Amino acid sequence: MQATFQFDSPLADVDGHSAPPVVTAPAARAPGRGAAVRPANPHERVRTELWRTPDPPRTRTVVHDDSSQSIVVRNESPDLPFRWTLNPYRGCEHGCSYCYARPTHEFLGFDAGIGFESQLLVKRDAPELLRRFLRRPRWQGEPIVFSGVTDCYQPIERDHGVTRGCLEVAEEFGQPVSILTKNALVTRDTDLLVSLAKRRAAVVSFSITTLDERLSRAMEPRTSTPRARLRAMRELAEAGVPVHAMLSPTIPGLNDHEAPAILEAVAEAGARSASYTLLRLSGTVRDVFLDWLDRCEPRRAPKVRQLIQSTRGGALNDTRFGYRLTGAGPYAGQIARAFRVFAKRNGLSRAAAPLSSEAFGRAVSGQRRLF
């Protein structure tokens, strides 16, 4: 099902008309979803209470058109290693219970829980918007990250192909790109990635949170399985595309003990480098994740909460630059040391090779590139 979503107001409904502000509260368990709650939207005034039922209906995914007039966004965070991002979609059907991007959906009048993973927005004009951006006289081909917020290869990409359209433009211009994903669908675009990689203009980073198939299916229900991600890494690496592994997020007491095994597995799959980030529970992400933790990992939940707090100065989150990605304290230090030891042991401690802008050029007069 598709509907048109206008951005005149964050409270516009799917028909483009003004809708009354609605804030959804805790909902029933949602089969096939990572979230089972609809946290109250802090930007809205009215709260709607939903009754819990023992056998709730499956939540449908609804796709809206996004009429954004720009596609490349500058990153202002000093602790992230990139300046420019491109996000073909808003919301993410992967449904990762820990996803730091969930609160971004609240600015659109949705909730950060089930709404984030079921109300999806597609930027159909993204390839043409990217083409216009790359033609700007001052643009010199700095690397662009696909995607800095939601996964550019989430399941709806199979039907809509917006990411591939953007990659085709990038390949045409020789624009260097860095892909971040949890989905093996990225291998569909091996042809474009190989073409860019030959010009040192492509790298694919896979997020591997766990090797436990059961935990992965519960915690990130609509991502590719860990086994499928490792196969995709191997396929791209063998084709000549540089592959990076991210242990993100590392969750104290839940998956941090898997770091040695994950690093060994990604090295065998062809990864050239690796990194990690600690779980971030900003805003309503906390409500979604802690509800998931209590439902799906009740025995480990108290220990996980305690260890998260031990890495965040007694709180559940720390937004300070320099600490928000790695935490602080003895347990955070233990995680960092273990990662460094096993990354080095598996040949993954070197920094990822920088992308090159040497091949960047502008397509004019029917020519594929102009140098």
Side-chain angles (χ1 to χ4, degrees):
M1 177 179 179
Q2 296 182 1
T4 299
F5 191 90
Q6 303 290 336
F7 286 92
D8 297 332
S9 164
L11 304 180
D13 63 17
V14 295
D15 294 317
H17 300 101
S18 178
V22 175
V23 177
T24 49
R29 177 180 57 85
R33 300 291 179 180
V37 293
R38 296 182 181 272
N41 189 325
H43 307 294
E44 307 290 3
R45 299 187 298 274
V46 178
R47 179 185 180 95
T48 301
E49 295 284 352
L50 302 178
W51 291 95
R52 290 184 182 269
T53 59
D55 188 22
R58 187 172 294 274
T59 304
R60 295 183 302 114
T61 296
V62 181
V63 177
H64 309 277
D65 285 336
D66 184 321
S67 56
S68 297
Q69 296 303 300
S70 61
I71 193 64
V72 179
V73 177
R74 181 168 181 160
N75 163 53
E76 302 292 347
S77 299
D79 54 0
L80 295 178
F82 52 83
R83 294 182 61 191
W84 303 95
T85 66
L86 182 154
N87 292 275
Y89 304 102
R90 297 181 196 253
C92 188
E93 199 174 9
H94 279 163
C96 303
S97 59
Y98 50 73
C99 182
Y100 63 83
R102 286 181 176 275
T104 62
H105 234 41
E106 294 168 344
F107 295 104
L108 306 177
F110 298 115
D111 65 87
I114 299 173
F116 174 77
E117 49 195 276
S118 64
Q119 299 289 332
L120 309 180
L121 284 73
V122 180
K123 301 178 184 180
R124 301 185 190 279
D125 297 331
E128 181 55 32
L129 292 173
L130 177 59
R131 185 184 300 278
R132 295 177 193 172
F133 182 87
L134 298 183
R135 283 176 172 162
R136 297 187 340 176
R138 293 186 179 181
W139 182 251
Q140 298 299 312
E142 289 185 58
I144 298 176
V145 171
F146 293 25
S147 304
V149 183
T150 58
D151 201 308
C152 58
Y153 282 101
Q154 60 179 284
I156 59 171
E157 165 64 16
R158 192 178 300 277
D159 296 324
H160 298 281
V162 179
T163 300
R164 180 168 178 93
C166 291
L167 265 184
E168 289 173 341
V169 174
E171 192 275 338
E172 178 183 335
F173 281 76
Q175 167 62 44
V177 298
S178 176
I179 306 290
L180 309 179
T181 188
K182 291 185 176 73
N183 204 303
L185 178 60
V186 64
T187 59
R188 178 203 62 187
D189 298 334
T190 299
D191 57 331
L192 299 172
L193 293 168
V194 167
S195 176
L196 285 165
K198 288 178 179 177
R199 290 169 270 169
R200 295 183 293 125
V203 62
V204 178
S205 297
F206 285 89
S207 175
I208 308 287
T209 51
T210 178
L211 298 179
D212 183 335
E213 302 276 342
R214 181 204 62 81
L215 177 59
S216 176
R217 190 51 51 215
M219 186 167 62
E220 40 192 31
R222 299 196 181 193
T223 62
S224 296
T225 65
R227 191 178 307 173
R229 278 177 254 179
L230 291 171
R231 284 199 303 267
M233 292 178 70
R234 183 174 292 106
E235 181 176 333
L236 289 176
E238 291 177 350
V241 179
V243 172
H244 176 82
M246 300 184 300
L247 281 63
S248 301
T250 294
I251 305 172
L254 189 63
N255 68 352
D256 58 308
H257 67 282
E258 291 193 65
I262 294 175
L263 289 167
E264 180 179 0
V266 299
E268 291 178 352
R272 299 182 182 181
S273 55
S275 60
Y276 83 97
T277 59
L278 206 63
L279 174 71
R280 294 157 54 191
L281 294 179
S282 57
T284 43
V285 180
R286 176 186 58 199
D287 302 327
V288 174
F289 178 77
L290 294 182
D291 174 80
W292 174 87
L293 184 64
D294 291 336
R295 285 185 296 106
C296 298
E297 295 289 340
R299 293 184 178 180
R300 291 197 278 183
K303 179 182 178 181
V304 172
R305 286 174 183 254
Q306 180 184 9
L307 289 176
I308 291 173
Q309 290 175 319
S310 75
T311 65
R312 299 298 188 185
L316 287 169
N317 193 48
D318 187 347
T319 60
R320 294 177 299 166
F321 293 126
Y323 295 95
R324 63 183 189 135
L325 299 182
T326 57
Y331 198 80
Q334 178 180 322
I335 290 174
R337 286 190 296 273
F339 177 85
R340 288 195 298 268
V341 167
F342 288 98
K344 183 176 181 180
R345 182 174 298 178
N346 289 283
L348 299 170
S349 58
R350 59 185 179 277
L355 295 175
S356 172
S357 300
E358 291 181 3
F360 176 75
R362 294 175 180 80
V364 295
S365 303
Q367 299 178 12
R368 288 180 63 80
R369 300 180 189 88
L370 177 64
F371 295 98

